[in-house]
Amino acid sequence: MPANSENYFPGLEGVNVDTTRLSFVDGQKGNLFYCGYSIEDLAEHCNFAEVAYLLLHGELPNQQQIDSFQEELLAERYLDPHLKSIITLTPKDGHPMAVLQALVAQLAMHDKEIADRSLEAKRRKAIRIIAKLPLVVTYFENVRTGMRTVEPRMDLGHAANYLWMLTGEEPTPEAVKVFDTALTLHMDHGCNNSTFTCRVVSSTEADIYSAVVAAIGSLSGPLHGGANERVIHMLESIEELDEVEPFIDAKVASKEKIMGFGHRVYKVMDPRAKILRDLAGKFVVADPEMDKCLKKANLFYKITEERFQAKGKMDIWPNVDFFSGVLYKALGLPRDFFTPVFAISRVVGWVAHHFEQMEDNRIYRPRFIYEGAELGRKFKKMDKRT
Ligand code: CMC
């Protein structure tokens, strides 16, 4: 007979699936912590490598520890020539998230340690994945735009090297700080869909690459990381400031979801959205087009909030994806690179969760409530079927 339907939680809302030491999302107060540290402190004072070290080791690094961690990352900052040629053959209109998925699977096939299941080998693979993900998408951008191939630089940090490879131009210290902050904010976020996906795949004892490939697929969805790209598409489709209000009213009237708003856990404004909004405000003022985009975003945010409150929906606020797009546009990133930026940061959380999952693993195997045809139907041979 059908299973007990009392234990049915659509979207697994409110269900605890495991424990973690990595991050905590306080949805009522609007706080986020990594290994106990507030996201505000980490975003202000740390760079990508320090926060990645924190998530992978549980403690912030001292100088010696960060130096050797950065050396490990730098040692993997290259792509095998065969992988580069695969990127050259990749369809130029492919979405960079699809390119990432395909190329992480290729990285697995090129990894000589793929069959080594020791913890040390897994750790090296994790570093490899973190270091190479940005290279994959930036090479792809070089290829599809027909620009010269920009080789990675060993004198730059993770964030700066990404901006360098994407544009072939030395990024300003301000741009690097803004980008480092954005990467820090996206690195982990409790039991979000892609991290859960990563843990589900890891729980089968599949290799770390397979878990990351699956997580990239999850992140690409518009209800998850894919929202940031759609936010900027939405803002760009509104030409003038006085068109913002009718645009929102039409969306609300048609009960359409507004991208960059709402969250399963946050009942107040997402703390990452607050930081990104402030950063966007400071970073974009010099450019008139960006200034207009920011004005549209702020007006959009204000009117949308008014509309949600008027409808009694007091818990729908901008999430991380609303202002990140504005910031990435200001940094000159192509629109379809917004979600890959999320991926090159979140991958740290994914691999950290892979290790946590493997510490005390039990395969994820929930169940469905069966609602199908009557059980034990009479079987008909082909010639008897209508
Ligand atoms: N626009 C309009 N209404 C919304 C929105 C929105 N963005 N988000 C939630 N609602 C309404 C929804 O229509 C529903 O109303 P009702 O109860 O009257 O049917 C109610 O709020 C609950 O929504 P839900 O979709 O059941 O909530 P959920 O917890 O299942 O989904 C969410 C969370 C993030 C998928 C959803 O808020 C959403 O689709 N937002 C837009 C996409 C987006 O911005 N995603 C990024 C999420 S944050 C970063 C990340 O994970 O990447």
Tab-separated table of all heavy atoms in Angstrom, residues 204-246:
chain	number	residue	atom	x	y	z
A	204	THR	N	26.818	8.093	-2.989
A	204	THR	CA	26.886	6.809	-3.714
A	204	THR	C	28.330	6.324	-3.818
A	204	THR	O	28.592	5.282	-4.423
A	204	THR	CB	26.345	6.948	-5.156
A	204	THR	OG1	27.258	7.766	-5.906
A	204	THR	CG2	24.953	7.550	-5.199
A	205	GLU	N	29.266	7.142	-3.286
A	205	GLU	CA	30.705	6.896	-3.398
A	205	GLU	C	31.202	7.121	-4.821
A	205	GLU	O	32.252	6.622	-5.223
A	205	GLU	CB	31.113	5.522	-2.855
A	205	GLU	CG	30.812	5.387	-1.377
A	205	GLU	CD	31.414	4.146	-0.726
A	205	GLU	OE1	32.071	3.355	-1.429
A	205	GLU	OE2	31.204	3.988	0.491
A	206	ALA	N	30.419	7.868	-5.602
A	206	ALA	CA	30.924	8.304	-6.911
A	206	ALA	C	32.095	9.256	-6.653
A	206	ALA	O	32.225	9.817	-5.566
A	206	ALA	CB	29.822	9.027	-7.674
A	207	ASP	N	32.944	9.469	-7.666
A	207	ASP	CA	34.119	10.301	-7.421
A	207	ASP	C	33.731	11.780	-7.318
A	207	ASP	O	32.620	12.180	-7.696
A	207	ASP	CB	35.191	10.072	-8.497
A	207	ASP	CG	34.723	10.536	-9.847
A	207	ASP	OD1	34.673	11.757	-10.061
A	207	ASP	OD2	34.378	9.676	-10.681
A	208	ILE	N	34.663	12.557	-6.817
A	208	ILE	CA	34.412	13.962	-6.518
A	208	ILE	C	34.054	14.754	-7.793
A	208	ILE	O	33.236	15.677	-7.754
A	208	ILE	CB	35.636	14.563	-5.772
A	208	ILE	CG1	35.337	15.940	-5.181
A	208	ILE	CG2	36.879	14.601	-6.619
A	208	ILE	CD1	36.381	16.413	-4.170
A	209	TYR	N	34.628	14.364	-8.933
A	209	TYR	CA	34.306	15.057	-10.187
A	209	TYR	C	32.823	14.865	-10.533
A	209	TYR	O	32.152	15.797	-10.951
A	209	TYR	CB	35.166	14.518	-11.335
A	209	TYR	CG	36.615	14.928	-11.274
A	209	TYR	CD1	37.579	14.079	-10.746
A	209	TYR	CD2	37.031	16.160	-11.770
A	209	TYR	CE1	38.907	14.441	-10.695
A	209	TYR	CE2	38.362	16.543	-11.730
A	209	TYR	CZ	39.298	15.674	-11.193
A	209	TYR	OH	40.619	16.050	-11.146
A	210	SER	N	32.334	13.620	-10.367
A	210	SER	CA	30.922	13.356	-10.701
A	210	SER	C	30.013	14.193	-9.821
A	210	SER	O	28.989	14.716	-10.285
A	210	SER	CB	30.583	11.881	-10.489
A	210	SER	OG	31.423	11.090	-11.263
A	211	ALA	N	30.387	14.318	-8.543
A	211	ALA	CA	29.565	15.105	-7.622
A	211	ALA	C	29.548	16.573	-8.062
A	211	ALA	O	28.503	17.234	-8.024
A	211	ALA	CB	30.104	14.970	-6.204
A	212	VAL	N	30.702	17.074	-8.518
A	212	VAL	CA	30.774	18.482	-8.937
A	212	VAL	C	30.009	18.690	-10.253
A	212	VAL	O	29.291	19.686	-10.412
A	212	VAL	CB	32.247	18.945	-9.048
A	212	VAL	CG1	32.358	20.312	-9.722
A	212	VAL	CG2	32.886	19.001	-7.657
A	213	VAL	N	30.119	17.746	-11.177
A	213	VAL	CA	29.374	17.868	-12.444
A	213	VAL	C	27.871	17.971	-12.155
A	213	VAL	O	27.166	18.824	-12.707
A	213	VAL	CB	29.658	16.664	-13.381
A	213	VAL	CG1	28.716	16.677	-14.577
A	213	VAL	CG2	31.095	16.676	-13.863
A	214	ALA	N	27.393	17.110	-11.264
A	214	ALA	CA	25.957	17.127	-10.928
A	214	ALA	C	25.583	18.450	-10.269
A	214	ALA	O	24.535	19.042	-10.573
A	214	ALA	CB	25.636	15.955	-10.001
A	215	ALA	N	26.445	18.929	-9.384
A	215	ALA	CA	26.157	20.184	-8.674
A	215	ALA	C	26.107	21.362	-9.652
A	215	ALA	O	25.266	22.264	-9.506
A	215	ALA	CB	27.209	20.427	-7.599
A	216	ILE	N	26.960	21.350	-10.658
A	216	ILE	CA	26.941	22.438	-11.654
A	216	ILE	C	25.588	22.439	-12.364
A	216	ILE	O	24.982	23.487	-12.601
A	216	ILE	CB	28.098	22.292	-12.678
A	216	ILE	CG1	29.450	22.475	-11.983
A	216	ILE	CG2	27.956	23.310	-13.817
A	216	ILE	CD1	30.659	22.110	-12.857
A	217	GLY	N	25.111	21.236	-12.701
A	217	GLY	CA	23.799	21.143	-13.358
A	217	GLY	C	22.704	21.732	-12.489
A	217	GLY	O	21.849	22.492	-12.960
A	218	SER	N	22.751	21.416	-11.205
A	218	SER	CA	21.737	21.951	-10.285
A	218	SER	C	21.826	23.474	-10.216
A	218	SER	O	20.818	24.183	-10.283
A	218	SER	CB	21.953	21.342	-8.890
A	218	SER	OG	21.486	22.208	-7.892
A	219	LEU	N	23.050	23.975	-10.103
A	219	LEU	CA	23.227	25.432	-9.942
A	219	LEU	C	22.719	26.208	-11.157
A	219	LEU	O	22.304	27.363	-11.045
A	219	LEU	CB	24.714	25.752	-9.704
A	219	LEU	CG	25.019	27.199	-9.343
A	219	LEU	CD1	24.546	27.512	-7.920
A	219	LEU	CD2	26.508	27.505	-9.461
A	220	SER	N	22.762	25.571	-12.326
A	220	SER	CA	22.405	26.298	-13.553
A	220	SER	C	20.915	26.669	-13.620
A	220	SER	O	20.519	27.546	-14.379
A	220	SER	CB	22.773	25.460	-14.789
A	220	SER	OG	21.898	24.356	-14.881
A	221	GLY	N	20.094	26.016	-12.793
A	221	GLY	CA	18.641	26.248	-12.878
A	221	GLY	C	18.233	27.657	-12.477
A	221	GLY	O	18.826	28.241	-11.571
A	222	PRO	N	17.201	28.220	-13.139
A	222	PRO	CA	16.772	29.592	-12.837
A	222	PRO	C	16.258	29.802	-11.423
A	222	PRO	O	16.267	30.928	-10.947
A	222	PRO	CB	15.674	29.873	-13.863
A	222	PRO	CG	15.331	28.581	-14.481
A	222	PRO	CD	16.467	27.631	-14.272
A	223	LEU	N	15.822	28.739	-10.747
A	223	LEU	CA	15.387	28.934	-9.361
A	223	LEU	C	16.573	28.937	-8.404
A	223	LEU	O	16.433	29.253	-7.225
A	223	LEU	CB	14.396	27.842	-8.945
A	223	LEU	CG	13.090	27.770	-9.744
A	223	LEU	CD1	12.115	26.811	-9.085
A	223	LEU	CD2	12.448	29.146	-9.915
A	224	HIS	N	17.738	28.568	-8.918
A	224	HIS	CA	18.953	28.531	-8.068
A	224	HIS	C	19.931	29.563	-8.653
A	224	HIS	O	19.574	30.717	-8.856
A	224	HIS	CB	19.470	27.085	-8.071
A	224	HIS	CG	20.522	26.764	-7.066
A	224	HIS	ND1	20.907	27.598	-6.058
A	224	HIS	CD2	21.310	25.642	-6.919
A	224	HIS	CE1	21.855	27.028	-5.322
A	224	HIS	NE2	22.123	25.832	-5.838
A	225	GLY	N	21.162	29.151	-8.967
A	225	GLY	CA	22.188	30.113	-9.399
A	225	GLY	C	21.884	30.783	-10.727
A	225	GLY	O	22.398	31.877	-11.013
A	226	GLY	N	21.062	30.109	-11.551
A	226	GLY	CA	20.738	30.682	-12.861
A	226	GLY	C	19.917	31.957	-12.770
A	226	GLY	O	19.705	32.648	-13.775
A	227	ALA	N	19.469	32.299	-11.551
A	227	ALA	CA	18.631	33.498	-11.402
A	227	ALA	C	19.414	34.782	-11.682
A	227	ALA	O	18.856	35.755	-12.202
A	227	ALA	CB	18.029	33.550	-9.996
A	228	ASN	N	20.720	34.807	-11.351
A	228	ASN	CA	21.451	36.091	-11.483
A	228	ASN	C	21.494	36.576	-12.937
A	228	ASN	O	21.353	37.766	-13.211
A	228	ASN	CB	22.846	36.014	-10.845
A	228	ASN	CG	23.746	34.940	-11.412
A	228	ASN	OD1	23.443	34.333	-12.435
A	228	ASN	ND2	24.859	34.701	-10.734
A	229	GLU	N	21.667	35.621	-13.854
A	229	GLU	CA	21.683	35.984	-15.281
A	229	GLU	C	20.328	36.554	-15.707
A	229	GLU	O	20.240	37.524	-16.464
A	229	GLU	CB	22.015	34.719	-16.074
A	229	GLU	CG	22.161	34.950	-17.537
A	229	GLU	CD	22.453	33.643	-18.288
A	229	GLU	OE1	23.025	32.704	-17.714
A	229	GLU	OE2	22.086	33.597	-19.475
A	230	ARG	N	19.266	35.930	-15.182
A	230	ARG	CA	17.919	36.382	-15.569
A	230	ARG	C	17.569	37.739	-14.963
A	230	ARG	O	16.782	38.486	-15.527
A	230	ARG	CB	16.882	35.342	-15.165
A	230	ARG	CG	16.825	34.225	-16.211
A	230	ARG	CD	16.729	32.878	-15.569
A	230	ARG	NE	16.714	31.834	-16.579
A	230	ARG	CZ	17.713	30.980	-16.769
A	230	ARG	NH1	18.813	31.053	-16.045
A	230	ARG	NH2	17.635	30.042	-17.692
A	231	VAL	N	18.155	38.048	-13.809
A	231	VAL	CA	17.890	39.353	-13.195
A	231	VAL	C	18.398	40.464	-14.121
A	231	VAL	O	17.673	41.431	-14.414
A	231	VAL	CB	18.578	39.467	-11.807
A	231	VAL	CG1	18.562	40.911	-11.315
A	231	VAL	CG2	17.896	38.559	-10.796
A	232	ILE	N	19.600	40.298	-14.617
A	232	ILE	CA	20.149	41.387	-15.437
A	232	ILE	C	19.416	41.449	-16.781
A	232	ILE	O	19.186	42.531	-17.327
A	232	ILE	CB	21.684	41.276	-15.594
A	232	ILE	CG1	22.308	42.667	-15.729
A	232	ILE	CG2	22.129	40.382	-16.698
A	232	ILE	CD1	22.307	43.462	-14.480
A	233	HIS	N	19.003	40.283	-17.267
A	233	HIS	CA	18.211	40.259	-18.511
A	233	HIS	C	16.924	41.064	-18.301
A	233	HIS	O	16.534	41.881	-19.137
A	233	HIS	CB	17.891	38.804	-18.861
A	233	HIS	CG	17.042	38.665	-20.079
A	233	HIS	ND1	17.532	38.917	-21.339
A	233	HIS	CD2	15.743	38.341	-20.234
A	233	HIS	CE1	16.557	38.739	-22.212
A	233	HIS	NE2	15.464	38.395	-21.572
A	234	MET	N	16.304	40.858	-17.133
A	234	MET	CA	15.062	41.551	-16.792
A	234	MET	C	15.321	43.065	-16.685
A	234	MET	O	14.587	43.868	-17.277
A	234	MET	CB	14.604	40.991	-15.436
A	234	MET	CG	13.272	41.380	-14.951
A	234	MET	SD	12.899	40.410	-13.440
A	234	MET	CE	13.991	41.158	-12.238
A	235	LEU	N	16.378	43.442	-15.980
A	235	LEU	CA	16.657	44.875	-15.811
A	235	LEU	C	17.001	45.532	-17.151
A	235	LEU	O	16.616	46.673	-17.420
A	235	LEU	CB	17.813	45.091	-14.822
A	235	LEU	CG	17.503	44.765	-13.351
A	235	LEU	CD1	18.757	44.920	-12.485
A	235	LEU	CD2	16.391	45.660	-12.814
A	236	GLU	N	17.724	44.792	-17.992
A	236	GLU	CA	18.102	45.367	-19.290
A	236	GLU	C	16.907	45.488	-20.231
A	236	GLU	O	16.926	46.302	-21.159
A	236	GLU	CB	19.212	44.536	-19.937
A	236	GLU	CG	20.566	44.807	-19.279
A	236	GLU	CD	21.683	43.949	-19.838
A	236	GLU	OE1	21.402	42.976	-20.571
A	236	GLU	OE2	22.845	44.259	-19.529
A	237	SER	N	15.887	44.650	-19.976
A	237	SER	CA	14.713	44.734	-20.855
A	237	SER	C	13.855	45.968	-20.520
A	237	SER	O	12.963	46.331	-21.267
A	237	SER	CB	13.868	43.459	-20.745
A	237	SER	OG	13.190	43.449	-19.502
A	238	ILE	N	14.135	46.589	-19.393
A	238	ILE	CA	13.415	47.817	-19.014
A	238	ILE	C	14.303	48.995	-19.417
A	238	ILE	O	15.406	49.146	-18.878
A	238	ILE	CB	13.181	47.863	-17.482
A	238	ILE	CG1	12.471	46.592	-17.014
A	238	ILE	CG2	12.418	49.113	-17.083
A	238	ILE	CD1	12.389	46.447	-15.501
A	239	GLU	N	13.830	49.789	-20.357
A	239	GLU	CA	14.739	50.825	-20.862
A	239	GLU	C	14.850	52.040	-19.956
A	239	GLU	O	15.936	52.531	-19.686
A	239	GLU	CB	14.330	51.237	-22.269
A	239	GLU	CG	14.789	50.169	-23.237
A	239	GLU	CD	14.587	50.514	-24.673
A	239	GLU	OE1	14.230	51.657	-24.970
A	239	GLU	OE2	14.768	49.587	-25.488
A	240	GLU	N	13.693	52.525	-19.490
A	240	GLU	CA	13.727	53.772	-18.712
A	240	GLU	C	13.210	53.541	-17.289
A	240	GLU	O	12.443	52.618	-17.047
A	240	GLU	CB	12.871	54.856	-19.395
A	240	GLU	CG	13.365	55.249	-20.777
A	240	GLU	CD	14.804	55.754	-20.806
A	240	GLU	OE1	15.261	56.324	-19.793
A	240	GLU	OE2	15.477	55.545	-21.823
A	241	LEU	N	13.602	54.431	-16.396
A	241	LEU	CA	13.217	54.285	-14.988
A	241	LEU	C	11.692	54.283	-14.800
A	241	LEU	O	11.160	53.550	-13.959
A	241	LEU	CB	13.824	55.423	-14.155
A	241	LEU	CG	15.333	55.290	-13.866
A	241	LEU	CD1	15.863	56.553	-13.208
A	241	LEU	CD2	15.617	54.078	-13.013
A	242	ASP	N	10.997	55.097	-15.629
A	242	ASP	CA	9.540	55.147	-15.431
A	242	ASP	C	8.826	53.904	-15.963
A	242	ASP	O	7.610	53.768	-15.840
A	242	ASP	CB	8.937	56.438	-16.021
A	242	ASP	CG	9.178	56.555	-17.521
A	242	ASP	OD1	9.708	55.584	-18.109
A	242	ASP	OD2	8.853	57.610	-18.098
A	243	GLU	N	9.583	52.985	-16.565
A	243	GLU	CA	8.976	51.722	-17.022
A	243	GLU	C	9.073	50.630	-15.955
A	243	GLU	O	8.509	49.545	-16.115
A	243	GLU	CB	9.674	51.231	-18.301
A	243	GLU	CG	9.418	52.131	-19.501
A	243	GLU	CD	10.367	51.814	-20.658
A	243	GLU	OE1	10.935	50.705	-20.703
A	243	GLU	OE2	10.552	52.701	-21.501
A	244	VAL	N	9.811	50.920	-14.878
A	244	VAL	CA	10.034	49.890	-13.862
A	244	VAL	C	8.715	49.499	-13.191
A	244	VAL	O	8.396	48.306	-13.072
A	244	VAL	CB	11.067	50.381	-12.812
A	244	VAL	CG1	11.158	49.412	-11.642
A	244	VAL	CG2	12.441	50.551	-13.460
A	245	GLU	N	7.962	50.510	-12.769
A	245	GLU	CA	6.733	50.229	-12.020
A	245	GLU	C	5.721	49.418	-12.837
A	245	GLU	O	5.256	48.365	-12.360
A	245	GLU	CB	6.126	51.540	-11.511
A	245	GLU	CG	4.995	51.309	-10.544
A	245	GLU	CD	4.644	52.571	-9.761
A	245	GLU	OE1	5.256	53.636	-10.004
A	245	GLU	OE2	3.746	52.491	-8.919
A	246	PRO	N	5.395	49.858	-14.083
A	246	PRO	CA	4.450	49.027	-14.861
A	246	PRO	C	4.973	47.620	-15.124
A	246	PRO	O	4.190	46.659	-15.149
A	246	PRO	CB	4.277	49.804	-16.177
A	246	PRO	CG	5.173	50.988	-16.123
A	246	PRO	CD	5.713	51.118	-14.746
